Amino acid sequence: MNLILLGAPGAGKGTQAEVISSKLGIPQISTGNILRAAVKNGTEWGLKAKAFMDAGDLVPDDVVIGILKDRIAESDCAKGFILDGFPRTVPQAEALETMGVVIDKVIEISVPDEDIKNRLGGRRVCESCGASYHVEFNPTKAEGVCDKCGGKVVQRADDAPETVLNRLATYHEATAPLVDFYKGRGKLTTVIGQSEVSDTSKLVLDAVNA
């Protein structure tokens, strides 16, 4: 099953993608993690993406699609995959179709902007493995240290308050139209994000019939 998760930054797409991945045994493809790895490693793609990511803007389509093409071609995607953070614009969605990538279902996780601001303000991410935490809802066992790999856990530049506002504005302008795009193709299901992660997970798994 090939899935797309939609929702504002901080809506919980990454967390729910992990839940679905574990349940269905298909990989979670987070373009955010792929891009951040490219930035950290100083690759050609990473250098192009860095300035856009630091400002909370969308990374250009050619950069994202180039990376995604290579990822989908890997053997672990043979039985399906979950796209987390892509597509972010209607042209990207159209590019996916042009690439011949068949999407079975699109799950939108809907969360109010005010809740998003609170969530992202407390989000922390491991510099080494990309694991995501929250100072209130999902803290690390040892402050500043990743539970999974022992790496340093930090607040990303694009989770800073002023950047979050920019990211939300960008989302509503560029990404929200995807809801209508996939609704028109009969593939969209909207899930209302709950205060408890497990409650949202149940709704998401119901939506994918898992």
Side-chain angles (χ1 to χ4, degrees):
M1 180 179 288
N2 300 340
L3 299 169
I4 289 173
L5 293 184
L6 293 181
K13 299 184 298 297
T15 299
Q16 298 307 326
E18 289 179 7
V19 172
I20 299 170
S21 175
S22 176
K23 183 75 174 179
L24 298 182
I26 57 178
Q28 168 194 3
I29 301 176
S30 168
T31 51
N33 285 346
I34 293 172
L35 287 170
R36 278 188 286 277
V39 169
K40 182 180 179 183
N41 295 331
T43 66
E44 180 182 356
W45 291 122
L47 293 174
K48 291 180 179 179
K50 186 177 189 306
F52 293 91
M53 293 173 66
D54 285 348
D57 292 330
L58 295 174
V59 176
D61 291 357
D62 60 332
V63 176
V64 181
I65 292 172
I67 294 172
L68 189 64
K69 270 186 173 180
D70 291 342
R71 182 66 185 88
I72 289 177
E74 294 182 19
S75 59
D76 63 337
C77 292
K79 294 182 179 180
F81 53 81
I82 307 156
L83 294 186
D84 163 23
F86 189 93
R88 289 189 175 185
T89 65
V90 170
Q92 286 180 345
E94 292 170 340
L96 269 185
E97 294 182 343
T98 300
M99 285 164 57
V101 178
V102 177
I103 299 299
D104 298 305
K105 290 187 178 181
V106 179
I107 309 297
E108 178 203 12
I109 302 175
S110 180
V111 178
D113 281 5
E114 196 58 40
D115 291 349
I116 294 292
K117 295 173 192 174
N118 294 335
R119 288 185 184 189
L120 291 185
R123 185 159 72 174
R124 300 294 183 268
V125 177
C126 176
E127 287 184 325
S128 299
C129 73
S132 185
Y133 300 94
H134 194 282
V135 293
E136 181 181 352
F137 306 120
N138 181 31
T140 53
K141 292 184 176 70
E143 187 173 351
V145 180
C146 178
D147 295 349
K148 295 182 180 178
C149 76
K152 183 180 179 183
V153 175
V154 300
Q155 182 178 49
R156 288 177 2 207
D158 54 355
D159 283 342
E162 63 278 7
T163 310
V164 168
L165 293 176
N166 188 15
R167 293 173 70 197
L168 282 171
T170 300
Y171 171 77
H172 289 301
E173 179 182 348
T175 307
L178 285 168
V179 171
D180 288 334
F181 179 86
Y182 284 114
K183 187 181 294 182
R185 280 158 171 70
K187 296 183 177 182
L188 182 86
T189 301
T190 297
V191 168
I192 303 301
Q194 306 295 306
S195 56
E196 293 291 332
V197 173
S198 59
D199 292 337
T200 303
S201 298
K202 184 178 185 305
L203 295 174
V204 168
L205 290 175
D206 285 346
V208 298
N209 299 320

